[in-house]
């Protein structure tokens, strides 16, 4: 692989005009497609194989035209202190608001609380239920304005009026923090690469890659039914890996220049060595993201595939556009050391063909922070290992209290109208009123349909935790009924989850006794089923992703213990990151610092999503850092010295890459959407734990303890595995034979640069 990528890098360097033109054309094509594509919707949400989804599908079949998936809103009215909602002025204002809402062309229905008796016992709070013909993201601005204006006009009578529901759902925005994150990444690049031009290349290529990826997602959003969160996730991961992959290749290019190589040859060797690591690191991320399909939640699958596509684009750009841009940059990108700059990039043939041991001896004279840290770890591996493991274990402790759920209006900031409406309904009707359960009863095979439904209502009414059971509403055919049940607990509580299971257990007996098939659905039941489905899929997903990546890393490192150590280190970092998420978003530690207005259960998708994404990103650093060690080891260095060499060449760049990735992810903590905020925080803290604790401390400590055994591989397995040559052994053969290495002399290169 190294030889093939070496040729790709040299070709891209020489044919830079053609390569740049291709990527600019792709960016333009994707941009035009995004600009002309129809506006995307919210993305359908379904959870195949669950009871809540079966009930929802039955509703669409038996209640046609009911807009079961339409947006909803609850306009909540509260009378001033000492007054009632039934007072003439307040009643008139409420009815006027309902009339105005009904006039909206996108409204399917708006209920009058005085007709539906939607008032609390003291008649101080009432609500109107509004159902729309389209989902929340397809609502026109005029419909949202009409909803807000109706509430504003009703406030004129002195009432408190707030609006809840997904009708006011807005497109998530990330705020200025994302720009700050990219700015910080730029500063780190300048410090690491020592040049504005060199620092600009990773940023430019990452932005082009993300532009192509996100524009493509936008162009296909309507056709593929992609939600708005999909492009945000793709942008988040695409920016991070795009900058990192380009950084590793540019850094290796400068190191090759430092060895005195000609620029075209240095570009080819950078792509052949660091590019090989980029390919395998990208593959681990793609495997982790595409593997989300095993959960069988279409929305999650689409998010993973879209993000994986953006990562694949980042890999291709790093392998082709970076060497092309290096050709344009010419002498503006210089070797890493003053010695390399003085040599002017000219290669000393004797030095290039010297024995590996002599080369390593020369490098012994060099010392940087990475080498000093590596030598410290090698001297005290047990102490470093214990401190790292104990520290991550302590951070993981809160994960034992992990409570899962999907966000509702109860986690909105307290100054939003959605949260105020949520609190008013809880105060007036009880905590369970914000999470009603919808009982769908199929009595198509019952001898007495109405009697069977009545028996269902009586049975449910007798279950502990049920506050009220509404009268059944039949469809026109009379073979299906909907019963609304109000729990005594808030939607995200474990008591409500137990109640849902109790109703489902009772429904099993009702089917055999009365022929009524009872299913529970609604937003609350959907959330419960999603959480359970994700929990059930976590271990199979973990086994699939880690297993495939483990096999991939065995091929890369030609070792069994190194990939095993990589996987165990990942588990430590992801558990510690989950513990941090629980501490901030569930317990409320430092909640104000991260803009968490309200604590609550951790998003159901967070554990499995974090496992997938963090595993892919963690393997990035493993591949980039340890391939340098493997390269030094196979070229004749002792195991301990190979660790030092790996840190000499890789520690600074890996640390910079981690800081950049943390900065990019942390930028999304400023998002208005709770899910995006939580993902940004979780990924940022996970990268911190994995890069600076696991890869920089635990990995060298374990390798120091294992010594040469770390690179052990059974002979039969060594013969069976393909040789992908990540460490660039094939490129050393080019040096010894003189093939390709002598082409494109410095004078030819200078003339080519003049023509450019």
């Amino acid at each position: 692989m190294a030889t093939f990528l070496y040729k790709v890098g040299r070709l891209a360097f020489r044919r830079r005009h053609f390569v740049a033109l291709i990527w600019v054309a792709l960016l333009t094509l994707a941009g035009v497609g995004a600009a002309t594509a129809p506006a995307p919707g919210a993305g359908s949400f379904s959870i195949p194989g669950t009871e809540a989804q079966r009930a929802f599908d039955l509703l669409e079949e038996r209640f046609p035209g009911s807009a079961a998936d339409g947006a909803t809103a609850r306009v909540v009215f509260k009378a001033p202190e000492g007054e009632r909602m039934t007072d003439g002025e307040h009643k008139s204002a409420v009815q006027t608001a309902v009339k105005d809402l009904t006039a909206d062309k996108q409204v399917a229905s708006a209920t009058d609380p005085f007709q539906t008796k939607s008032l609390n016992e003291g008649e101080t709070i009432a609500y109107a239920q509004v159902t729309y013909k389209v989902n929340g993201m397809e609502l026109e601005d005029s419909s949202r304005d009409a909803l807000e204006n109706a509430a504003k006009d009703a406030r004129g009578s002195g009432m408190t009026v707030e609006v809840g529901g997904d009708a006011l759902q807005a497109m998530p925005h990330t705020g200025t923090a994302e720009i700050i994150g990219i700015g910080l990444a730029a500063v780190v690049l300048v410090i690491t690469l020592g040049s504005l031009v060199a620092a600009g290349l990773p940023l430019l290529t990452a932005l082009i890659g993300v532009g192509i990826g996100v524009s493509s997602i936008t162009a296909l959003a309507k056709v593929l039914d992609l939600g708005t969160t999909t492009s945000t996730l793709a942008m988040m991961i695409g920016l991070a890996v795009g900058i990192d992959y380009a950084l590793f290749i540019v850094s290796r290019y400068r190191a090759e220049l430092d060895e005195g190589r000609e620029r075209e040859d240095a570009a080819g060797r950078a792509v052949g060595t660091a590019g090989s690591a980029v390919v395998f690191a990208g593959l681990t991320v793609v495997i982790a993201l595409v593997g989300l399909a095993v959960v069988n939640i279409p929305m999650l699958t689409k998010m993973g595939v879209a993000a994986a596509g953006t990562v694949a684009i980042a890999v291709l750009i790093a392998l082709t556009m970076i060497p092309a841009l290096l050709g344009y940059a010419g002498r503006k990108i210089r070797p890493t050391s003053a010695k390399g700059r003085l040599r002017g990039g000219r290669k000393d043939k004797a030095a290039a063909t010297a024995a590996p041991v002599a080369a390593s001896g020369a490098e012994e004279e060099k010392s940087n922070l990475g080498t000093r840290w590596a030598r410290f770890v090698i001297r005290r591996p047990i102490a470093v290992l214990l401190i790292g493991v104990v520290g991550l274990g302590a951070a993981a402790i809160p994960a034992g209290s992990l409570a899962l759920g999907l966000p509702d209006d109860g986690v909105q900031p307290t100054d939003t109208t959605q949260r105020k409406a949520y609190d008013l309904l809880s105060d007036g009707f009880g905590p369970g009123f914000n999470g009603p359960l919808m009982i769908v009863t199929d009595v198509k095979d019952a001898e007495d349909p109405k009697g069977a439904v009545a028996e269902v209502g009586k049975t449910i009414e007798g279950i502990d935790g049920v506050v009220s059971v509404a009268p059944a509403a039949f469809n026109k055919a009379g073979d299906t009924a909907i019963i609304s049940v109000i729990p005594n607990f808030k939607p995200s509580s474990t008591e409500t989850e137990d109640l849902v299971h109790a109703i489902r257990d009772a429904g099993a007996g009702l089917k055999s006794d009365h022929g009524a098939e009872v299913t529970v659905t609604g937003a609350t039941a959907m959330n419960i089923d999603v959480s359970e489905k994700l929990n059930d899929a976590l271990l199979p997903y973990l086994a699939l992703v880690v297993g495939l990546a483990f096999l991939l890393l065995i091929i890369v490192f030609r070792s069994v213990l190194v990939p095993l150590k990589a996987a165990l280190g990942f588990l430590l970092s992801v558990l510690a990151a989950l513990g941090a998420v629980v501490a901030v978003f569930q317990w409320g530690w430092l909640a104000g610092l991260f803009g968490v207005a309200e604590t609550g259960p951790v998003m159901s998708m967070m554990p499995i999503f974090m496992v997938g994404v963090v595993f892919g990103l963690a393997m990035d650093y493993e591949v980039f850092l340890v391939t340098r060690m493997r390269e030094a080891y196979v070229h004749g260095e002792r195991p301990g010295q190979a660790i030092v060499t790996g840190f000499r060449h890789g520690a600074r760049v890996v640390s910079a890459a981690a800081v950049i990735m943390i900065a990019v992810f942390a930028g999304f903590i400023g998002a208005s959407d709770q899910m995006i905020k939580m993902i940004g925080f979780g990924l940022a803290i996970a990268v911190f734990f994995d890069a600076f604790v696991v890869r920089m401390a635990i990995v060298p400590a374990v390798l120091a303890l294992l010594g040469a055994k770390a690179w052990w591989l059974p002979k039969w397995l060594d013969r069976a595995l393909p040789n992908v040559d990540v460490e660039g052994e094939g490129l050393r053969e080019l040096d010894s034979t003189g093939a390709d290495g002598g082409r494109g002399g410095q004078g030819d290169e200078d003339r080519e640069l003049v023509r450019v």
Side-chain angles (χ1 to χ4, degrees), residues 27-28 53 91 128 165-166 199 202 278 327 334 419 455 476 512 516 530 532 537 566 577 583 596 641 729:
L27 178 61
T28 303
Q53 186 62 46
K91 184 175 182 179
D166 62 350
V278 165
R334 314 185 97 190
R419 175 59 188 277
E455 191 62 35
K476 290 183 179 180
S512 58
V530 167
E532 292 180 351
V596 181
Q641 182 57 35
E729 188 64 32

Side-chain angles (χ1 to χ4, degrees), residues 28 71 96 123 164 196 210 227 251 272 317 368 393 405 416 425 449 469 509 573 628 639-640 655 694:
T28 303
T96 300
E123 295 184 341
L196 288 174
V210 167
S251 299
I317 283 185
N368 57 25
T416 61
L425 288 172
V469 178
S573 58
R628 270 291 197 171
S655 298
V694 175

Side-chain angles (χ1 to χ4, degrees), residues 59 69 72 79 111 178 205 294 305 391 673 713:
L59 280 177
D69 62 343
T72 60
T111 62
E178 178 189 350
T205 54
V294 76
V305 172
D673 186 274
L713 185 69

Side-chain angles (χ1 to χ4, degrees), residues 74-78 85-86 94 98 110-130 424-425 428-429 433 470 486:
R74 276 179 172 174
V75 185
V76 187
F77 308 89
K78 181 180 180 182
M85 289 301 305
T86 51
V94 170
V98 171
T111 62
D112 184 337
F114 301 104
Q115 293 181 3
T116 58
K117 304 194 182 303
S118 303
L119 289 87
N120 66 338
E121 288 186 7
E123 295 184 341
T124 57
I125 298 176
Y127 71 92
Q129 182 76 28
V130 185
L424 282 175
L425 288 172
F429 300 91
F433 199 80
I486 304 298

Side-chain angles (χ1 to χ4, degrees), residues 42-46 227 230 297-304 605 675:
S44 60
F45 183 79
S46 62
T230 304
I297 295 180
M299 184 186 76
L300 195 59
T301 300
K302 292 172 185 177
M303 289 171 64
M605 296 181 185
M675 182 172 75

Side-chain angles (χ1 to χ4, degrees), residues 554-555 558 713-723:
I554 288 179
I555 296 174
R558 317 294 296 184
L713 185 69
K715 292 183 179 179
W716 63 268
L717 185 57
D718 187 38
R719 290 191 298 268
L721 292 176
N723 183 13

